[in-house]
Amino acid sequence: MGIVGNLTADQLQSFNSQGYIVLESFATDDDIDAMVRRMDQLVNDFDPSSTASIFSTKNQQKLTDDYFFESAEKISFFFEEKAFGDDGKLKQPKQLSLNKVGHALHEIEPAFKKFSSSNKVSSLMYSLGYKRPVIMQSMYIFKQPGIGGEVVPHQDNSFLYTEPQTCTGLWLALEDATVLNGCLWAIPGSHKKGLVRRFLRDEDGVKFDRPSPSYDQKDFVPIEVKAGSLVVIHGDLIHQSFENQSQKSRHAYSLHVVDTDGCQWAPENW
């Protein structure tokens, strides 16, 4: 028997209208615990001196780009911009200095692979009309207390472009996400206006093909969710998050999925 879609007609209508939906209690406590505990182990085993110079030294764009590109098939560690002092050393423990870990957790790490390739995730994608969904990247996002940085308004299709466009973001809250600790914000219905710009890779590195439009912050609404909730994000939805100004982290596990049936992967993607 094939996998059956698990979204209701009302949920699909809401997703098509708003550009996102929240599925509460999508992940179990056991799912969350397994991923959080494994990430704790990965971070504890990580030696920050092996990569710190890449992020703390000016004019090292090529080194940074190479580390970023190679992370597509690895588990790589990325620091917050504010993690380093003027002396190039971390200002706080490594556990509180990381921005994210990516981008192949779903392929390499069993705890993350189990959730990412679960029937409930596959069923969700089939509900959205996917024929042969493939996860292109995964990220564990920390949003550290006090230094967890802003993520500017963007669309996921900019980074993972297919023809036709098929990227969907799956953003799983591993901890409660609130306005104070940096929850997602989105412009409801903004996906209907289409893709604004693309993020392209060439021999010089990566860059956007045009400047970002300016957005009216009054158009954004907060998406506050409890741990275990999954936010499903249309690839053209304008969304962002602000700095974490609280003393509580906001861990999340993010997946980006594209269809591989009747779709062309853009060679100039990062």
Side-chain angles (χ1 to χ4, degrees):
M1 181 178 170
I3 296 175
V4 179
N6 59 5
L7 292 183
T8 66
D10 284 347
Q11 287 173 321
L12 277 171
Q13 193 278 330
S14 179
F15 178 75
N16 291 328
S17 168
Q18 300 296 304
Y20 69 92
I21 49 169
V22 175
L23 304 177
E24 296 180 351
S25 303
F26 189 86
T28 66
D29 289 344
D30 287 345
D31 290 333
I32 294 170
D33 186 57
M35 289 187 274
V36 170
R37 281 161 47 115
R38 180 55 184 150
M39 185 52 62
D40 282 346
Q41 293 171 339
L42 289 170
V43 173
N44 285 337
D45 293 343
F46 166 60
D47 177 9
S49 66
S50 62
T51 56
S53 64
I54 294 174
F55 301 96
S56 60
T57 308
K58 302 297 184 190
N59 303 318
Q60 288 204 336
Q61 191 61 46
K62 184 177 187 313
L63 278 177
T64 308
D65 284 347
D66 287 349
Y67 187 78
F68 180 60
F69 296 148
E70 290 165 6
S71 74
E73 297 174 353
K74 291 182 177 179
I75 295 172
S76 300
F77 297 78
F78 298 86
F79 291 100
E80 283 290 351
E81 284 185 17
K82 295 181 180 179
F84 296 95
D86 293 338
D87 58 0
K89 295 180 179 175
L90 291 174
K91 294 191 288 187
Q92 58 282 305
K94 62 182 178 180
Q95 288 84 353
L96 296 174
S97 302
L98 290 166
N99 170 285
K100 68 179 181 180
V101 173
H103 287 95
L105 289 163
H106 64 288
E107 292 182 336
I108 296 172
E109 281 296 328
F112 294 91
K113 187 172 186 177
K114 181 181 178 185
F115 173 81
S116 307
S117 58
S118 63
N119 274 349
K120 59 189 170 188
V121 171
S122 298
S123 178
L124 169 62
M125 300 317 297
Y126 285 114
S127 283
L128 295 173
Y130 282 64
K131 301 289 193 296
R132 198 166 61 214
V134 170
I135 297 169
M136 296 307 298
Q137 67 177 29
S138 52
M139 296 179 283
Y140 191 107
I141 306 166
F142 296 91
K143 205 69 157 180
Q144 303 285 7
I147 66 166
E150 173 187 22
V151 178
V152 298
H154 66 281
Q155 299 166 297
D156 293 339
N157 269 330
S158 295
F159 303 92
L160 300 167
Y161 186 82
T162 61
E163 189 67 57
Q165 295 162 39
T166 62
C167 183
T168 295
L170 305 178
W171 193 94
L172 177 68
L174 300 173
E175 299 178 309
D176 294 353
T178 67
V179 168
L180 280 180
N181 72 357
C183 70
L184 295 174
W185 293 68
I187 302 179
S190 56
H191 64 299
K192 296 176 182 176
K193 296 182 179 179
L195 186 62
V196 172
R197 59 181 183 156
R198 288 182 58 193
F199 189 67
L200 305 174
R201 178 180 182 177
D202 59 24
E203 61 275 6
D204 298 323
V206 288
K207 61 180 181 295
F208 284 103
D209 62 353
R210 65 194 65 182
S212 174
S214 57
Y215 297 102
D216 189 336
Q217 290 299 324
K218 295 196 301 292
D219 293 335
F220 286 87
V221 299
I223 307 175
E224 294 188 296
V225 294
K226 294 289 188 186
S229 297
L230 185 76
V231 186
V232 186
I233 303 169
H234 189 285
D236 282 344
L237 183 77
I238 306 291
H239 59 289
Q240 66 177 352
S241 64
F242 296 105
E243 289 187 350
N244 182 354
Q245 298 181 338
S246 76
Q247 293 307 304
K248 184 170 175 15
S249 60
R250 191 227 63 189
H251 290 197
Y253 179 52
S254 172
L255 299 170
H256 290 102
V257 186
V258 301
D259 207 345
T260 58
D261 186 311
C263 302
Q264 189 84 25
W265 174 256
E268 60 273 17
N269 284 336
W270 76 268

